[in-house]
Amino acid sequence: MKASQGVEWGLHLCMLLAFAEPHQTVDATSLAEYHELPLPYLRKILQALTRAGVLESVAGPTGGYRLARSADQITFLDIFSAVEGDQNAFRCTEIRQKGPTGLDQKCYPAACAIAATVWAAEQAWRDHLAGVSLFDITDGLTALAPPGQHELAITWLTKHTRA
Amino acid sequence: MKASQGVEWGLHLCMLLAFAEPHQTVDATSLAEYHELPLPYLRKILQALTRAGVLESVAGPTGGYRLARSADQITFLDIFSAVEGDQNAFRCTEIRQKGPTGLDQKCYPAACAIAATVWAAEQAWRDHLAGVSLFDITDGLTALAPPGQHELAITWLTKHTRA
């Protein structure tokens, strides 16, 4: 089971945008340069985040991307789901209905107990991601980052944001 | 993000074997027939479960597969990990170290706060799966299954188990 690489990119670029002023934008090319990411695929991630209402896309010469709401209102689950979709990782194909002991489909009104158990675990995973906002992380990140890196990031942002 | 279909198969076939007597085995061909699964791929799942110590493979004309320990000692996580491996779904490629503000690798002794958050959610998912044993489900399954199905399954098992 593997999450797509775009999840990592989405989380990092939203985190970067959380350090910009709310009205400021950063264009896709600059975002790609910041983490050395391939621009065409990064654009798809940016579009997915915009469609999901996590980012806001501003058109025009001073345009670019910014968070669609404040960092404390955007959770890790919002970003993860925007990139990966919100389907369960475990897909139940109802194999309990097949084979020599399978009954007619209408005999199975309740979800399979096996699938229900695995989906409950996925819900625990979602609940955890939904309980952490971008703000929760940025708030402690200055202390966690190597000395000097936060200042470098802010200096870079100052040069690459558009108002 | 998608779990492989083998996880569903592994969970269902272990659940079936939990209804057999501890010393009894069921051969791979019968297990494939029970859920209408393709035998060659099912064999790979059976081998993975055996390697992980969830199943025991008995060789010879009366051979087959049985649970390697009692149903209350086999968790959903044991089966999931046996089939999918135990790597995290989220892979951190350390993009924080890249680009114009990246520092030397040795400046990052601590795990990335973003990766640590996502991995903590995966741990919540694992904890949930580790808290449910095959016995927990079989114990309530008779009541949950459509009327008559449990009896059909036991009759089928009686015909297909080897001692």
Side-chain angles (χ1 to χ4, degrees):
Chain A
M1 201 162 78
K2 199 174 171 181
S4 77
Q5 238 188 334
V7 172
E8 184 189 19
W9 302 0
L11 287 166
H12 275 274
L13 68 88
C14 287
M15 196 65 72
L16 178 66
L17 292 172
F19 286 109
E21 295 298 319
H23 62 286
Q24 294 178 325
T25 62
V26 183
D27 69 287
T29 306
S30 300
L31 288 170
E33 278 169 12
Y34 188 79
H35 285 306
E36 292 182 32
L37 302 174
L39 183 58
Y41 184 35
L42 181 67
R43 279 196 200 283
K44 289 188 199 301
I45 306 301
L46 289 165
Q47 283 158 9
L49 287 162
T50 305
R51 265 196 310 274
V54 171
L55 295 183
E56 211 167 60
S57 165
V58 178
T62 60
Y65 293 89
R66 62 187 172 207
L67 298 185
R69 49 189 190 273
S70 61
D72 63 336
Q73 297 297 311
I74 296 176
T75 71
F76 270 50
L77 183 63
D78 294 333
I79 298 167
F80 206 106
S81 301
V83 178
E84 277 286 357
D86 49 13
Q87 272 204 300
N88 284 310
F90 178 81
R91 316 280 160 93
C92 170
T93 64
E94 289 285 343
I95 61 174
R96 63 178 174 163
Q97 298 183 21
K98 295 183 180 159
T101 72
L103 302 173
D104 194 80
Q105 193 182 345
K106 67 175 184 302
C107 298
Y108 301 86
C112 171
I114 288 175
T117 300
V118 184
W119 288 333
E122 293 194 32
Q123 191 55 47
W125 167 83
R126 261 186 223 103
D127 289 346
H128 189 98
L129 290 182
V132 184
S133 74
L134 284 179
F135 177 78
D136 292 331
I137 303 296
T138 54
D139 203 30
L141 210 59
T142 318
L144 278 172
Q149 180 154 50
H150 184 67
E151 293 70 19
L152 282 170
I154 298 300
T155 305
W156 183 91
L157 261 181
T158 310
K159 289 185 190 150
H160 291 83
T161 46
R162 300 158 165 189
Chain B
M1 202 162 78
K2 199 174 172 182
S4 76
Q5 236 186 336
V7 171
E8 184 190 19
W9 301 359
L11 288 166
H12 275 274
L13 69 88
C14 287
M15 196 65 72
L16 178 67
L17 291 173
F19 286 108
E21 295 298 320
H23 62 285
Q24 293 178 326
T25 63
V26 183
D27 68 287
T29 307
S30 300
L31 288 170
E33 277 169 14
Y34 187 79
H35 285 306
E36 291 180 35
L37 302 175
L39 183 58
Y41 185 35
L42 181 68
R43 279 196 200 281
K44 289 188 199 301
I45 305 302
L46 289 166
Q47 283 157 10
L49 288 163
T50 306
R51 266 196 309 274
V54 170
L55 295 185
E56 212 166 58
S57 164
V58 177
T62 61
Y65 293 89
R66 63 187 171 206
L67 298 186
R69 47 189 191 275
S70 61
D72 63 338
Q73 297 298 311
I74 296 176
T75 71
F76 270 50
L77 184 62
D78 294 332
I79 298 166
F80 206 106
S81 301
V83 178
E84 277 286 357
D86 49 14
Q87 273 204 299
N88 283 310
F90 178 81
R91 316 279 160 94
C92 170
T93 64
E94 289 287 343
I95 61 172
R96 63 177 174 163
Q97 299 182 20
K98 295 183 179 158
T101 72
L103 302 174
D104 193 80
Q105 194 182 345
K106 67 176 185 301
C107 298
Y108 301 86
C112 172
I114 289 175
T117 300
V118 184
W119 288 334
E122 293 193 32
Q123 191 55 48
W125 167 84
R126 260 186 224 104
D127 289 346
H128 189 99
L129 290 182
V132 184
S133 73
L134 283 179
F135 177 78
D136 293 331
I137 304 296
T138 54
D139 203 30
L141 210 61
T142 318
L144 278 172
Q149 180 155 48
H150 183 68
E151 292 70 19
L152 282 171
I154 297 299
T155 305
W156 183 91
L157 261 181
T158 311
K159 287 187 193 150
H160 291 82
T161 45
R162 301 158 166 188

